[in-house]
Amino acid sequence: MIPRTGWSGREFSAEAAKMSLATPSVAPLLPLSSLRSEILCHSLIITDLILPLHPSMPPRSTLNVSLTPELLRLIGEDVSSGQYQSASEVVREALRGFYGGRATPDRFGAADVALTRSREQVEALFAQAAAGMAQVDLTGRFVRVNEQYCAILDRRRDELLQLRMQDCTHPDDLPRNMILFRHALETGEAFEIEKRYLRPDGSVVWVRNAVSPIRDGSGKPDSILAVSIDITGYKNAQEELRESEALKGSILDAALDCIVSTDRESRIIEWNSAAERTFGFTREAALGQDLADLIIPPEYRERHRRGMARYLATGEGPVLNRRIELEALRADGSRFPVELAISPISSGERPRFTAYLRDITLNKQVAAAQRESEQRLRLTYEHAFTSIAEVDSSGRFLRVNEQLSIITGYSRDELLLRTFLDITHPEDREPDLDQFRRQMAGELDAYRMEKRYVRKDGQIVWIELAASRVDDAEGRPLYGVRVARDITERKRAEEHRELLLHELNHRVKNTLTTVQSIVFQTLRNAPTPDDAQTALASRLIALSKAHDVLTRENWEAASLHQIVSEAMEPFRAHGENRIRVAGPPVRLPPSMALAVAMALQELATNAVKYGALSSEAGEVEIRWTLDKSNSPAHLHLRWEESSGPPVRPPNRRGFGTRLIERSLAGDLHGEAKIEFASTGVVCTIKAPVPDLMVVRA
């Protein structure tokens, strides 16, 4: 076996360098140092021939060649004889004979016997070398290959010996390979080449070949020896490195953020496209510049340099691996806000830093606009004249403004413990809840309705509600927004308007009926047309005055004192102070007010014509009381004449009497009675007064 040990650099260790060259019977013909030098020199030739090294790839294994003492002595004799100039030439010639298959016992004599043993060792070296070794003839056909070479090409030895080197070389690498191959045959010069072999399965293996011509006896190359090292892993690593660098470049160019790298001196060593766009400096202009002088405002530069010095001294930095906001400079000198994150990259004595910068001008503007919007919304929310509330999917209040507290009488804290249904009138809950459920299910975006709240004090408040919904980014409902305004006064006005319309319709009909009856009865009972005209005008005026009183009171109610005063005003000239009126405050609804006014007008007209007011001494007393002992209270009104002409009961009851006792009594829902006493006419009216009309003490 050929012993294996390590080597370094291009040193090839031969056993001759480790053993004594002196023997008892044969002294060396060359000085020991000279022969050793020759052998070592030859070792370098063997090294170049069999396993040349590449600066970037250390050898995988080492080989030592043992030359016996006898061989060394014979080599020395050949050199001393003058036939060869050096030991290297003796060994080289022997190797050529070995590879060329030629034995020259006559030429070498006894040395050939010793070299036979060396051939066995060289054969062993060829077979056991860690590198692939192949010998080809002048056409490129394989003559000899070792096991490692077969392993590299993944082919059997007998298979390779049927092929040429060209048959295994990648087509793309073959032209250059053949140029170098022919040049080596022509000049005898060795060469190196990196190329690809094709394996039977079509896969590719990269190799680095050291190729040396083998010369024949005439000095002409007659074959080629190639030593191959599989560098596929190395090539793959190179390709991965290239891809990594390409990917890095693509990432840097495609990155939206500025990526800037510096060395320990703060000199820029990387400046991507985003940095070019953001700062306005080209990559060429930025590389090599001091980062502080280029983009850091003057007032921050010294702080930056102190931070760098602190990190280099202690390995610590207050802003490293953190996100901070600060100002930066553009090429035109303008300042703008950036978000900065700096990461140190430890590399022994050459630390580097990578900064990631993002222009946040737009973010700042958006944030400012958002703050302004939020402030405006908050002020609007709090000071709006309408109530605003946010509710969750169950209807519970999440947020309310002050106006909702004013409308409902509940404090904010009290409202936040309730749902909108808790303060809704029972009759309005179901319609609102049905639409709210549909809204929160996404079936309804918004809805409007009028409904009633029940205040904390129990009062009813009408509101107009507009309900909408806020969704998340996926369109799922988040919460509802309910805007409401108090429309209680409007509702009251609407109710009053409806009442007035209804009352007006009723009153007009009644008034027309009354007028029709007055006209009919007046015309039928008047002795002459002039009497009819006078009576008709008087009665219509009385009706009109009663209407005036009600109109002033918005047709809601009228004071009995006012009704009596208005009805008696036309007759005071006749009676001067002879008409006395007394009674407690009483308000009558429109129907009762008109009935009493018409009754008083009829009584006063009759008194002027035939009764107490027809003489200078006659008097009229109008008195009323209000009996509140029962509900509803009852009005007792009495018209009584005195000191007038004697009264005789009429032969027939006229229109006025019938109007009072029948029609007006019906309007009053009570009783009306006229008595023709000899001392004067007496009329009594008894009618219920609605509780709302009664003035309580």
Side-chain angles (χ1 to χ4, degrees), residues 594-609:
L594 288 174
V596 170
M598 292 299 296
L600 293 175
Q601 194 276 335
E602 290 297 325
L603 290 170
T605 300
N606 186 73
V608 168
K609 293 174 67 176

